[in-house]
Amino acid sequence: MKRSLILDVVVRAEFHALVVVSLYLLFVGHNSPGGGFGGGLVAGAALALRFVSLGPESVRRTTRLAPTTILGIGLLGALATATIPLLTGRNVLEHGSIELSAPLLGQAKVTSALVFDTGVYLVVVGLVALLLEELGQPSDRPVEVPPGEDHPVGGRRP
């Protein structure tokens, strides 16, 4: 199959911009439209573009972690956000926040909604990466064609 030079150049140029947009959607999600699911879908679309253009090996190099690991970390983050309030005698998914002081950035407020959204983001990205990895695997089953029918690759069987 012949690769498209234009597609390769566009995907290489736009991949990082799409990841930044997905992170923006993640961070503004609890106050504006966006959040972990929307941001994860944009990051997943960026991975899918890389898959179409550069192949499954490029997606593996991009994620570096196994997709199941990414998915598991996301599930643990979302589950922790739901259960930690229960352990402290509060309601499930009850809101909490911490104010931090960063040397260059000043005051920063981290909420439990951000932790939950990050978990959802990682679940979506891990699921898309897992799907793309499975689509990139060679088939281990031969295609069986009944006698007298057209072969799926083209032409008739001898």
Side-chain angles (χ1 to χ4, degrees), residues 15 44 46-65 67 70 125 128-134:
F15 177 77
L47 284 176
L49 281 173
R50 186 161 266 200
F51 176 83
V52 168
S53 172
L54 304 171
E57 190 58 39
S58 176
V59 174
R60 286 186 199 103
R61 283 192 316 266
T62 300
T63 56
R64 295 189 183 171
L65 292 174
I70 297 169
V125 169
V128 170
L130 184 64
L131 176 70
L132 294 174
E133 188 174 282
E134 289 300 315

Side-chain angles (χ1 to χ4, degrees), residues 5-48:
L5 178 64
I6 296 172
L7 180 63
D8 288 353
V9 170
V10 168
V11 168
R12 286 177 195 262
E14 295 298 321
F15 177 77
H16 298 292
L18 286 171
V19 171
V20 169
V21 168
S22 77
L23 291 173
Y24 173 77
L25 288 173
L26 169 66
F27 286 115
V28 301
H30 59 282
N31 291 329
S32 301
F37 188 73
L41 286 178
V42 172
L47 284 176

Side-chain angles (χ1 to χ4, degrees), residues 31-152:
N31 291 329
S32 301
F37 188 73
L41 286 178
V42 172
L47 284 176
L49 281 173
R50 186 161 266 200
F51 176 83
V52 168
S53 172
L54 304 171
E57 190 58 39
S58 176
V59 174
R60 286 186 199 103
R61 283 192 316 266
T62 300
T63 56
R64 295 189 183 171
L65 292 174
T68 52
T69 304
I70 297 169
L71 204 141
I73 291 169
L75 279 174
L76 284 175
L79 184 64
T81 306
T83 56
I84 287 175
L86 280 177
L87 298 175
T88 60
R90 298 163 77 188
N91 293 329
V92 176
L93 289 171
E94 191 169 325
H95 176 72
S97 64
I98 299 172
E99 294 217 13
L100 303 171
S101 178
L104 294 173
L105 301 175
Q107 292 294 104
K109 185 176 179 182
V110 179
T111 64
S112 59
L114 177 63
V115 177
F116 181 79
D117 278 345
T118 302
V120 172
Y121 179 92
L122 290 174
V123 166
V124 173
V125 169
L127 195 58
V128 170
L130 184 64
L131 176 70
L132 294 174
E133 188 174 282
E134 289 300 315
L135 286 174
Q137 295 292 327
S139 176
D140 57 350
R141 293 178 287 156
V143 177
E144 297 199 21
V145 179
E149 290 190 20
D150 288 340
H151 194 271

